[in-house]
Amino acid sequence: IVTEIADVARAVASHREVHVIAEDWRNEARLVREVAHGGYGLDGVWADDFHYSVQRLLAGDDEGFYGDFRGTVGEAIKIVQRGWLFEGQHSRHVGGPRGTPAFDVPPSHLVHSLQNHDTVGNRPRGDRLHTRVEPSRYRAATTLLLATPYTPLLFMGQEFAASTPFPFFCDHHDELGDK
């Protein structure tokens, strides 16, 4: 189905270039491998390990997926070298193995970010990463993001450090919002 979606999207928009990118946390390289090589032929896939590790390093986040990461400079370097960290290792959060090696995947097919609609939108107040860390550390992380060979994802307003919160998934009103 995923391959068919990509094929149809490209065929319908034959007059312009279309990129089909999977928002997928599993670190499955087959999503972006060519169909002829057993893949699904997508143009990109989110490589969330980068932002999980960097947010653990910068902000100390340790719940959910963040708990699988140490948040060290060495870990971030390994992710930059390989595209993502989990290549079949056990994930405490998932409760089993997660990921496949991406050594043969062109870096442009992996999408790295510091934050996205999930990491900001699921926070109780919708606060963005730059509001929770020192500006110099945030600028260093942004520089790293933009200097890698991977496709960077800049989340809405990140390019100018938007001050507006983004409580997309947690914008509850009255009593539920207070809790």
Side-chain angles (χ1 to χ4, degrees):
I1 292 175
V2 172
T3 301
E4 187 175 337
I5 289 170
D7 290 345
V8 169
R10 292 179 187 121
V12 169
S14 61
H15 61 286
R16 61 187 173 97
E17 192 171 0
V18 171
H19 298 276
V20 180
I21 300 171
E23 179 185 341
D24 190 291
W25 56 268
R26 298 174 300 161
N27 292 5
E28 290 291 337
R30 69 181 171 189
L31 289 167
V32 292
R33 286 199 179 104
E34 294 178 21
V35 174
H37 295 117
Y40 296 148
L42 300 183
D43 302 298
V45 62
W46 286 25
D48 289 334
D49 290 5
F50 182 82
H51 81 256
Y52 291 141
S53 181
V54 172
Q55 282 205 34
R56 178 87 190 250
L57 173 67
L58 295 179
D61 295 345
D62 62 359
E63 296 181 8
F65 273 110
Y66 298 111
D68 279 340
F69 296 86
R70 295 187 318 274
T72 63
V73 171
E75 184 177 78
I77 289 170
K78 185 173 183 180
I79 293 167
V80 169
Q81 290 172 336
R82 302 183 69 86
W84 47 49
L85 184 65
F86 280 84
E87 301 175 315
Q89 302 96 311
H90 180 82
S91 160
R92 288 182 303 211
H93 180 72
V94 172
R98 175 176 169 252
T100 60
F103 61 87
D104 61 332
V105 173
S108 62
H109 291 335
L110 301 180
V111 179
H112 283 189
S113 67
L114 295 179
Q115 57 193 341
N116 59 47
H117 67 276
D118 289 321
T119 59
V120 177
N122 284 324
R123 294 189 55 78
R125 306 239 183 282
D127 48 327
R128 298 165 186 267
L129 181 61
H130 74 273
T131 67
R132 302 185 296 121
V133 302
E134 295 175 27
S136 61
R137 292 172 56 115
Y138 184 75
R139 285 192 302 271
T142 300
T143 300
L144 175 62
L145 171 69
L146 298 175
T148 70
Y150 305 100
T151 298
L153 179 148
L154 297 178
F155 175 66
M156 300 169 35
Q158 179 179 340
E159 66 278 11
F160 59 89
S163 59
T164 53
F166 184 79
F168 187 73
F169 299 107
C170 56
D171 190 15
H172 305 293
H173 300 286
D174 304 323
E175 186 179 332
L176 180 58
D178 291 339
K179 289 180 181 180

